[in-house]
Amino acid sequence: MEMTAVLGFALIAFTLIVVPGPDWAYILAAGARDHVVVPVVSGVMVGYALITLVLVVGLGALVAAVPAVLLGLTVAGSTYLLYLGWKTVRSASAAEYGQVQGALASSSRAYFARGVGVSALNPKALLLFLSILPQFTRVSAEWPMPAQFAALGGIYIVMASLIYLFLGFAADKVLGSRPQVAQILTRVAGIAMICLGVGLIGEQVLEFVS
């Protein structure tokens, strides 16, 4: 692969990773509120791996070319963000009264599964992988297109995993020992997810109306 293309994609990927979004909100809430990091980040990375697999097997162009599919994915992702945001806000409120059920999820497996959903159904992630990533592949390169998709997707996953692990452990160590701050952060993260979900649905409504 051309090194300039790889470095260009890595720069864009880093920029998108460090911008707060659904991934940040879920990781910060789980780390600060319930001291769970590795299962959450692992789930988020598996979600991105699934999107990469869609590209590798050649379904990326098909999905991008069918507006109804992208609309369905966006609505599903937005709805999931609304649900997870409501669940997160509710967990923060329950924690104020010392309720055990205030946890975001019931087990490490549940945290992992929700992490998969957060990234795999993240409309912005789908845009990155289906629209932006293919622009950094080259037909003239020695590697076949599926290998290029896998390599670029792998770069994103490695970068995101390192940044998100740091973010999660920082939330766990720094904010986890401050229950009141952790509750506030959890509530803010939940509200952020709800706002993102509403905003994404609003975008689709405006596009449909126009």
Side-chain angles (χ1 to χ4, degrees):
M1 296 182 64
E2 295 182 8
M3 188 54 62
T4 54
V6 173
L7 293 177
F9 175 76
L11 179 61
I12 290 180
F14 177 79
T15 302
L16 294 175
I17 292 170
V18 298
V19 173
D23 298 346
W24 275 61
Y26 182 50
I27 292 169
L28 286 174
R33 168 69 178 82
D34 297 323
H35 311 286
V36 179
V37 178
V38 175
V40 170
V41 175
S42 298
V44 171
M45 294 307 105
V46 168
Y48 286 127
L50 292 175
I51 300 177
T52 302
L53 181 61
V54 169
L55 291 175
V56 171
V57 300
L59 295 178
L62 176 61
V63 172
V66 181
V69 175
L70 284 177
L71 175 61
L73 290 173
T74 300
V75 172
S78 301
T79 303
Y80 185 73
L81 283 178
L82 291 174
Y83 163 75
L84 189 57
W86 171 79
K87 182 75 174 179
T88 303
V89 172
R90 187 166 176 265
S91 72
S93 300
E96 293 180 352
Y97 301 97
Q99 298 179 24
V100 177
Q101 63 267 33
L104 294 179
S106 58
S107 65
S108 296
R109 186 174 298 177
Y111 280 103
F112 175 85
R114 289 187 176 179
V116 174
V118 167
S119 56
L121 294 176
N122 183 352
K124 299 301 182 183
L126 293 171
L127 174 65
L128 167 68
F129 279 78
L130 298 179
S131 299
I132 299 178
L133 184 151
Q135 298 178 25
F136 292 89
T137 59
R138 300 291 184 269
V139 177
S140 59
E142 294 183 4
W143 289 14
M145 295 299 289
Q148 295 183 55
F149 287 141
L152 293 176
I155 290 172
Y156 185 92
I157 292 170
V158 170
M159 293 175 60
S161 63
L162 294 175
I163 294 172
Y164 288 162
L165 283 172
F166 173 80
L167 181 68
F169 282 119
D172 178 16
K173 300 301 181 183
V174 177
L175 301 176
S177 59
R178 299 171 174 81
Q180 292 183 340
V181 177
Q183 289 172 13
I184 294 174
L185 176 62
T186 301
R187 183 175 289 106
V188 170
I191 293 173
M193 283 186 273
I194 292 174
C195 290
L196 285 169
V198 171
L200 289 169
I201 291 177
E203 286 182 6
Q204 295 302 317
V205 172
L206 289 176
E207 289 182 6
F208 177 80
V209 172
S210 60

